[in-house]
């Protein structure tokens, strides 16, 4: 027992001495942050315009949709689930708001109804997953088609124009900073606080880490799942609103390419698809890496196809970086695996 | 036992980063010999067996099989020469049936196809050999089996390739006395046939009368080997822990008193859950430890989980300090200051990838408001780690990197922080080494001095007899008797647990 106390005190002193850099290095997001920084510096060197204010805003605006939805997706994935229907909810919501405004509904009320539709889509996913105990992957694969189908049905597949004060959301800017970018940063901040500083956030980690243990700790696992799927639904609706008001036109296919990009951003951001691991900051960095790649390839006039290949490579690299960064821990893991075997 | 040497290890060493797991160990196992390897957790027993089984290559030393030096690259090669191993942690595939699990890797084949008939008859033979033929069928899906049955199927799997040398890694950890007797019978049969056996266990009383030779390891080092006749319980423990255990185990401080006049904190009436248990009634006094004895599958864990609301009962009443409470979810029981320390630590207790700090705080988190208090959480974790002497490099360490005993302490801390009045404790020392066991006993003992009441399910009778004030015994889902402390004896508890005795309670 004296040994354990000794170890503890040593650890405490060690932690006191740790400075900002070692703390930063020990952060989970360090690996991908480094990757993003290297990527930016490389691009900035090759094309100095990369760092111009306009271009930086371009990059940021380019990642708002994926970024906002990925914050919600991060909650779902950390809670041990997955939502493949995000892009479809975005398409549906984007059409919904244009349709309502076009039909003469007050824009603010239209906005609220649209967010409610997003909420209901997410809630329905959760209902199938929690109450009927369907597999989340299959469930949202199905609702991905259902929601997308509704989006086409709503307008017969035709784009709808929108022109109201709501266009400020997607198109406006404050001191040159797009409103949508400000919204994204607000969502990221709120998501980060919700995940790391609230009891709910701890419950999300617990549910994804070990559902049975979570229940045995007094957590209402079902409620937590309803909340995370509903959050992602509302955020997708918000993304839909931003997309539509940005273009001034609602395109029923707007979100169809987003479903997997959102999951990619979460995974690049260091989340584990097994649940129990991930962060909102990581998601932002993940989305940023994807955005910077896209932007850089345009600046360098590379083919869009090479861009797709490189995105795939980045996803693999992100997972590898995570493993390498944990290398010290891997040995610990092996050792403790052995110790466990010896039990 | 003959003198023909099957397996010989010479100066075997294995290093893992930061630890010498096995340090120059010499062991010799003859045909028909039962060789017990003893040691605390982390002593190197499993590593040693895994080296013999071809799972890890050794860093130093030589392995001889029937006099020839050998080197296995993987367990398959070891199996091919006739080495079998019964793993401690379940290595069965839960969604396959029993026969496929047993013959996985060496299916009897008929051309290209699996010969189902041979597979089935061989499985039946094996199950009958293990005396579980009438309970477990070849086509039973493994996840429908109890833990004990799974363990026996694991043994059947090891026997299916007719090994000449077989290693048992804590085979009795999830078995009750009855099943343990079966296992011991099986081992005697194997010994008769000239099979060499390595037997690793934490239950010392099993080895006397079974083992021929004893080897004791401590911290990876070979402490002593010799014929069993040269050892007794105290001597073995002394070599294992390098210190006297008795002081620790019997350092229990609580006063044994008649508690019938004390406040009843928990009263359970006619609790019933179909197919699991019927009309279970008992009461629990303040500061009392009420033990639950019975065979595996008697319904003890299910009663605890029903009281806690994890798998609520179908009917019956639960009163906490006189108030009737309907517990439909663990959230309700946690708010009534009840805690549950579950049997399957990793499956139901731990968030393996989360930190010690998060694991310790999870219950109090749920009881606090909307925002977490990071300073408080850190203090909670640091105090708990200090109080229960959890050995961890830091409170930020992922809990999967802790040893079994320390993981159990983390779960205990979690509930202690929530200041419970009633703790439901299910097999708290399952798979935990002797030293850590004693610490857990001390903690439990200390808790009741502080006024916490405990329901303790355990398959280790000495543990129940040491700790409990009363022992309730279940048999086939029914409560068949409650013994007071002065009536305690292993024999009496077993007669109730096996259905030979019964009394109103």
């Amino acid at each position: 027992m004296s040994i354990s106390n000794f170890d503890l005190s040593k650890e405490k002193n060690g932690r006191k001495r740790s400075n900002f850099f070692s703390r930063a290095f020990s952060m989970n997001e360090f690996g991908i942050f480094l990757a993003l920084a290297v990527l930016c510096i490389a691009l900035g060197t090759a094309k100095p315009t990369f760092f111009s204010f306009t271009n930086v805003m371009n990059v940021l605006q380019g990642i708002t949709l994926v970024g906002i939805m990925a914050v919600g997706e991060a909650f779902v994935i950390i809670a041990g689930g997955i939502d493949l229907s995000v892009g479809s909810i975005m398409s549906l919501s984007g059409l919904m708001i244009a349709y309502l405004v076009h039909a003469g509904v007050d824009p603010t009320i239209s906005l609220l109804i649209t967010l409610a539709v997003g909420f209901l889509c997410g809630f329905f996913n959760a209902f199938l997953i929690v109450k009927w105990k369907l597999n989340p992957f299959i469930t949202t694969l199905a609702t991905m088609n259902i929601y997308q189908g509704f989006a086409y049905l709503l307008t017969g597949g035709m784009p709808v124009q929108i022109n109201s004060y709501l266009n400020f959301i997607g198109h406006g800017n404050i001191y040159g900073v797009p409103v949508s970018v400000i919204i994204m940063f607000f969502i990221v901040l709120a998501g980060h606080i919700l995940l790391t500083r609230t009891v709910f956030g701890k419950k999300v980690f617990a549910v994804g880490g070990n559902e049975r243990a979570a229940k045995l700790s007094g957590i209402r696992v079902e409620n937590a799942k309803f909340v995370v799927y509903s959050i992602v639904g509302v955020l997708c609706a918000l993304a839909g609103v931003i997309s539509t008001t940005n273009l001034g036109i609602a395109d029923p296919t707007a979100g169809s390419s987003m479903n997997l990009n959102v999951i990619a951003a979460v995974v690049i951001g260091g989340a584990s698809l097994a649940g129990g691991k991930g962060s909102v900051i990581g998601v932002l960095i993940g989305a940023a890496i994807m955005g910077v790649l896209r932007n850089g390839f345009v600046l360098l006039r590379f083919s869009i196809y090479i861009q797709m290949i490189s995105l795939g490579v980045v996803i693999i690299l992100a997972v590898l970086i995570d493993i390498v960064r944990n290398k010290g821990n891997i040995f610990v893991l092996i050792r403790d695996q052995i110790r466990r075997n010896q039990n | 036992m003959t003198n023909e040497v099957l397996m010989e290890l010479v100066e075997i060493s294995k290093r893992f980063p930061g630890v010498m797991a096995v340090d120059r160990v010499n062991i010799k196992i003859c045909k028909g010999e039962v060789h017990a390897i003893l040691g605390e957790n982390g002593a190197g027993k499993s590593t040693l067996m895994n080296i013999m089984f071809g799972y890890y290559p050794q860093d130093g030393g030589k392995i001889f099989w029937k006099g020839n030096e050998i080197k296995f690259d993987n367990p398959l090669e070891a199996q091919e020469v006739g080495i079998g191993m019964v793993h401690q942690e379940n290595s069965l595939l839960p969604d396959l049936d029993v026969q496929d699990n047993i013959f996985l890797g060496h299916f009897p084949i008929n051309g290209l196809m699996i010969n189902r008939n041979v597979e089935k008859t061989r499985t039946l033979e094996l199950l009958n050999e293990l005396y579980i033929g009438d309970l477990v069928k070849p086509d039973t899906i493994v996840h429908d089996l109890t833990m004990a049955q799974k363990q026996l199927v694991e043994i059947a799997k090891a026997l299916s390739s007719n090994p000449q040398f077989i290693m048992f890694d804590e085979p009795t950890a999830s078995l009750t006395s009855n099943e343990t007797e079966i296992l011991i019978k099986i081992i005697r049969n194997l010994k008769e046939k000239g099979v060499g056996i390595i037997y690793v266990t934490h239950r010392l009383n099993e080895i006397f009368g079974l083992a021929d030779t004893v080897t004791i390891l401590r911290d990876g080092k070979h402490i002593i080997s010799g014929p069993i006749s040269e050892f007794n319980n105290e001597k073995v423990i002394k070599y294992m822990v390098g210190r006297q255990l008795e002081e620790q185990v019997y350092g229990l401080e609580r006063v044994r008193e008649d508690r019938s006049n004390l406040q009843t904190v928990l009263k359970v009436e006619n609790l019933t859950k179909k197919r699991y248990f019927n009309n279970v009634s008992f009461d629990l006094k303040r500061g009392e430890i009420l033990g639950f004895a019975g065979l595996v599958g008697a319904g003890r864990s299910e009663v605890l989980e029903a009281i806690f609301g994890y798998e609520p009962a179908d009917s019956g009443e639960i009163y906490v300090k006189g108030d009737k409470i309907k517990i439909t979810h663990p959230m309700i029981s946690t708010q009534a200051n009840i805690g549950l320390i579950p049997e399957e630590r990793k499956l139901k207790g731990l968030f393996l990838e989360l930190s010690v700090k998060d694991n310790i705080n999870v219950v109090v988190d749920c009881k606090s408001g909307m925002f977490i208090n990071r300073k408080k959480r850190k203090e909670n974790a640091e105090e708990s780690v200090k109080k229960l002497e959890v050995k961890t490099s830091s409170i930020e360490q992922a809990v999967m990197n802790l040893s079994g005993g320390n993981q159990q302490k983390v779960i205990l801390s979690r509930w202690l922080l929530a200041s419970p009045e009633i703790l439901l404790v299910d097999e708290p020392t399952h798979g935990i080494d002797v030293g850590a066991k004693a610490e857990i006993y001390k903690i439990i003992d200390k808790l009741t001095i502080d006024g916490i009441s405990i329901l303790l399910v355990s398959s280790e009778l000495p543990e129940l007899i040491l700790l409990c004030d009363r022992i309730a015994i279940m048999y086939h889902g029914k409560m068949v008797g409650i013994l007071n402390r002065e009536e305690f004896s292993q024999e009496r508890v077993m007669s109730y647990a096996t259905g030979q005795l019964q009394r109103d309670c």
Side-chain angles (χ1 to χ4, degrees):
Chain A
M1 58 191 76
S2 58
I3 291 170
S4 68
N5 287 342
F6 174 71
D7 281 348
L8 271 176
S9 56
K10 206 169 85 183
E11 181 61 33
K12 255 183 209 156
N13 295 338
R15 210 179 308 144
K16 264 180 204 155
R17 264 185 265 119
S18 74
N19 57 24
F20 174 77
F21 291 104
S22 66
R23 271 230 310 282
F25 185 75
S26 68
M27 271 169 62
N28 286 321
E29 296 85 8
F30 183 77
I32 45 164
F33 181 73
L34 196 69
L36 176 63
V38 169
L39 198 59
C40 287
I41 291 167
L43 277 172
T45 316
K47 280 273 173 187
T49 49
F50 175 78
F51 281 122
S52 71
F53 182 77
T54 329
N55 192 55
V56 170
M57 286 307 136
N58 266 341
V59 172
L60 288 174
Q61 188 153 29
I63 65 169
T64 47
L65 301 179
V66 166
I68 288 173
M69 290 192 281
V71 170
E73 185 79 68
F75 277 86
V76 172
I77 287 177
I78 293 168
I82 195 158
D83 190 345
L84 297 170
S85 68
V86 284
S88 300
I89 301 178
M90 181 189 133
S91 299
L92 177 61
S93 315
L95 271 187
M96 182 65 79
I97 186 130
Y99 181 82
L100 290 171
V101 172
H102 196 73
V105 181
D106 175 75
T108 308
I109 293 179
S110 306
L111 176 65
L112 293 177
I113 294 175
T114 304
L115 294 181
V117 166
F119 170 80
L120 284 178
C121 290
F123 194 84
F124 182 64
N125 282 340
F127 178 83
L128 297 177
I129 292 162
V130 173
K131 291 293 172 193
W132 289 2
K133 304 201 186 315
L134 303 184
N135 173 293
F137 188 93
I138 308 292
T139 306
T140 55
L141 186 66
T143 56
M144 174 181 88
N145 287 299
I146 293 173
Y147 301 150
Q148 186 65 54
F150 274 120
Y152 286 125
L153 264 185
L154 199 59
T155 64
M158 300 302 289
V160 183
Q161 278 197 326
I162 180 170
N163 195 1
S164 80
Y165 57 80
L166 286 180
N167 287 33
F168 182 71
I169 297 176
H171 208 65
N173 66 69
I174 298 171
Y175 296 115
V177 182
V179 173
S180 55
V181 170
I182 296 171
I183 294 177
M184 178 185 71
F185 277 112
F186 175 76
I187 299 283
V188 166
L189 186 66
H192 179 68
I193 289 172
L194 187 60
L195 192 62
T196 57
R197 304 290 169 91
T198 67
V199 172
F200 173 72
K202 291 291 166 192
K203 286 182 182 173
V204 169
F205 277 104
V207 168
N210 184 343
E211 208 174 307
R212 286 196 259 189
K215 184 177 176 189
L216 280 170
S217 305
I219 295 172
R220 296 259 187 204
V221 174
E222 293 82 6
N223 294 5
K225 286 188 179 172
F226 265 107
V227 175
V228 292
Y229 282 101
S230 303
I231 288 176
V232 78
V234 173
L235 291 179
C236 292
L238 183 61
V241 170
I242 290 173
S243 163
T244 298
T245 54
N246 179 37
L247 299 168
I249 198 163
D251 174 6
T253 61
S256 49
S257 65
M258 300 268 179
N259 287 321
L260 295 178
N261 279 350
V262 167
I263 294 171
V266 177
V267 172
I268 294 174
S272 155
L273 285 183
K277 185 168 171 270
S279 82
V280 172
I281 301 296
V283 162
L284 180 65
I285 299 172
I289 288 177
M290 290 164 67
V292 166
L293 266 185
R294 195 175 327 127
N295 178 267
F297 280 62
V298 173
L299 288 183
L300 297 170
R301 297 178 198 286
F302 282 175
S303 143
I304 179 135
Y305 308 122
I306 297 183
Q307 181 195 316
M308 288 179 75
I309 296 170
S310 63
L311 178 60
V313 173
V314 164
I315 295 176
I316 294 170
L317 281 180
V319 179
L320 280 179
I321 287 176
D322 203 39
I323 294 176
V324 172
R325 202 185 60 86
N326 284 327
K327 196 142 193 178
N329 297 355
I330 282 183
F331 290 121
V332 174
L333 281 184
I334 295 171
R335 190 190 69 206
D336 293 298
Q337 183 64 46
I338 295 146
R339 193 178 292 159
R340 274 204 295 283
N341 287 343
Q342 282 165 340
N343 278 3
Chain B
M1 177 174 159
T2 62
N3 288 326
E4 193 183 332
V5 179
L6 268 178
M7 172 73 96
E8 185 172 4
L9 303 186
V10 181
E11 298 278 307
I12 288 289
S13 295
K14 178 74 189 168
R15 172 182 289 281
F16 289 112
V19 58
M20 201 70 188
V22 174
D23 194 359
R24 284 163 291 151
V25 173
N26 296 293
I27 288 185
K28 207 190 275 181
I29 297 108
C30 298
K31 269 184 124 174
E33 174 186 351
V34 178
H35 194 122
I37 299 185
L38 305 173
E40 288 193 282
N41 285 353
K45 305 172 305 245
S46 291
T47 310
L48 194 64
M49 278 191 285
N50 279 320
I51 291 171
M52 286 189 256
F53 197 52
Y55 195 75
Y56 299 133
Q58 72 269 27
D59 294 335
K62 286 178 178 154
I63 305 176
F64 295 90
W65 173 252
K66 294 182 176 169
N68 304 315
E69 189 180 345
I70 46 153
K71 202 166 171 78
F72 300 125
D73 285 331
N74 55 53
L76 207 61
E77 290 180 20
Q79 281 171 28
E80 274 162 8
V81 305
I83 298 176
M85 179 161 173
V86 178
H87 297 271
Q88 170 200 358
E89 305 239 320
N90 233 300
S91 67
L92 301 177
L93 303 175
D95 294 320
L96 293 187
D97 60 18
V98 169
Q99 55 184 359
D100 282 355
N101 261 295
I102 289 179
F103 285 99
L104 200 68
H106 55 274
F107 284 111
I109 46 172
N110 189 358
L112 282 173
M113 313 292 275
I114 293 171
N115 190 334
R116 287 272 159 198
N117 291 333
V118 173
E119 190 189 2
K120 189 164 183 176
T121 40
R122 281 283 292 128
T123 303
L124 266 177
E125 281 169 30
L126 283 165
L127 293 176
N128 284 332
E129 241 175 81
L130 299 175
Y131 310 94
I132 50 170
D134 42 342
L135 280 173
V136 180
K137 301 291 170 213
D139 55 0
T140 312
I141 302 296
V142 160
H143 70 65
D144 293 334
L145 301 177
T146 64
M147 267 177 82
Q149 288 168 344
K150 282 183 196 162
Q151 185 67 55
L152 291 168
V153 169
E154 188 95 35
I155 293 167
K157 183 179 169 180
L159 296 181
S160 66
S161 52
N162 292 318
Q164 303 167 41
F165 174 66
I166 183 163
M167 296 176 273
F168 291 90
D169 191 359
E170 268 196 75
T172 54
S174 54
L175 302 187
T176 56
S177 316
N178 255 21
E179 293 144 346
T180 303
E181 302 231 321
I182 293 175
L183 179 71
I184 286 171
K185 238 195 272 181
I186 295 162
I187 290 178
R188 292 222 169 90
N189 290 343
L190 290 171
K191 180 178 154 69
E192 288 291 304
K193 290 187 205 160
V195 176
I197 292 157
I198 282 189
Y199 191 82
V200 166
T201 184
H202 280 134
R203 300 189 182 173
L204 299 186
N205 51 355
E206 284 168 13
I207 60 159
F208 296 101
L210 178 66
D212 303 299
T213 325
V214 176
T215 288
I216 295 173
L217 304 179
R218 189 169 73 226
D219 301 329
K221 291 194 182 65
H222 191 173
I223 302 299
I224 191 170
S225 284
I228 187 86
S229 53
E230 292 174 8
F231 291 88
N232 58 32
N233 232 325
E234 289 73 41
K235 207 169 160 190
V236 167
I237 292 174
K238 206 179 89 192
Y239 283 121
M240 270 169 66
V241 297
R243 57 184 188 268
Q244 291 289 349
L245 178 77
E246 283 178 45
E247 300 161 343
Q248 281 189 315
V249 173
Y250 300 112
L252 307 182
E253 290 162 0
R254 63 202 293 256
V255 186
R256 300 288 172 188
E257 55 181 336
D258 180 17
R259 287 167 205 273
S260 51
N261 297 325
L262 292 176
Q263 184 192 17
T264 302
V265 290
L266 178 73
K267 188 174 170 65
V268 170
E269 273 183 355
N270 298 322
L271 206 64
T272 299
K273 188 172 175 65
K274 263 179 226 141
R275 294 198 297 129
Y276 293 102
F277 53 83
N278 276 310
N279 289 324
V280 170
S281 304
F282 61 88
D283 55 5
L284 178 68
K285 303 285 183 189
R286 189 179 145 82
E288 182 184 41
I289 303 180
L290 174 62
F292 270 72
L295 305 180
V296 170
R300 299 168 299 160
S301 301
E302 287 78 4
V303 169
L304 290 200
E305 291 187 347
I307 295 172
F308 193 62
Y310 182 68
E311 294 285 349
D314 300 328
S315 63
E317 280 95 51
I318 297 167
Y319 299 86
V320 176
K321 295 207 276 185
D323 300 327
K324 185 171 163 181
I325 302 188
K326 194 158 171 52
I327 299 177
T328 51
H329 190 279
M331 200 182 88
I332 298 170
S333 42
T334 26
Q335 271 159 4
N337 293 328
I338 304 176
L340 173 77
I341 292 156
E343 176 183 11
E344 292 164 280
R345 228 179 358 259
K346 281 176 206 156
L347 237 50
K348 292 182 179 170
L350 295 165
F351 305 96
L352 285 168
E353 295 184 4
L354 298 189
S355 63
V356 169
K357 182 171 79 181
D358 283 341
N359 270 281
I360 286 179
N361 279 293
V362 63
V363 175
V364 278
D365 279 348
C366 294
K367 285 185 162 186
S368 48
M370 190 177 156
F371 287 94
I372 55 170
N373 181 339
R374 300 214 288 180
K375 202 172 140 230
K376 184 82 193 138
R377 290 178 101 246
K378 189 166 166 244
E379 280 170 17
N380 281 345
E382 277 169 355
E383 274 168 28
S384 302
V385 163
K386 208 164 153 190
K387 198 165 138 201
L388 297 195
E389 291 167 9
V390 180
K391 282 176 198 144
T392 173
S393 60
S394 135
I395 56 170
E396 303 294 343
Q397 174 79 269
V399 79
M400 65 176 145
N401 297 331
L402 271 54
S403 71
N406 286 303
Q407 289 178 339
Q408 192 66 285
K409 288 185 196 169
V410 166
I411 300 181
L412 270 163
S413 312
R414 172 192 297 171
W415 287 107
L416 297 188
L417 273 180
S419 45
E421 289 171 48
I422 303 164
L423 268 184
L424 317 175
V425 186
D426 199 352
E427 303 282 4
T429 58
H430 185 135
I432 286 178
D433 67 64
V434 184
K437 253 183 198 175
E439 286 181 65
I440 302 266
Y441 293 162
K442 252 174 111 174
I443 294 168
I444 290 177
D445 179 70
K446 176 88 177 32
L447 292 178
T448 53
I449 298 173
D450 299 341
I452 296 176
S453 314
I454 292 176
L455 289 185
L456 175 67
V457 167
S458 174
S459 292
E460 294 194 31
L461 289 180
E463 182 169 303
L464 288 174
I465 288 170
L466 176 72
L467 291 169
C468 295
D469 299 296
R470 289 182 298 152
I471 297 179
I473 303 136
M474 290 189 66
Y475 174 68
H476 276 307
K478 281 206 285 283
M479 189 156 277
V480 289
I482 297 183
L483 301 180
N484 290 319
R485 191 160 177 87
E486 55 276 12
E487 302 172 281
F488 285 3
S489 79
Q490 295 210 28
E491 294 72 26
R492 189 171 293 144
V493 174
M494 274 327 288
S495 340
Y496 280 99
T498 51
Q500 293 155 28
L501 283 175
Q502 197 160 347
R503 68 159 78 152
D504 288 334
C505 53

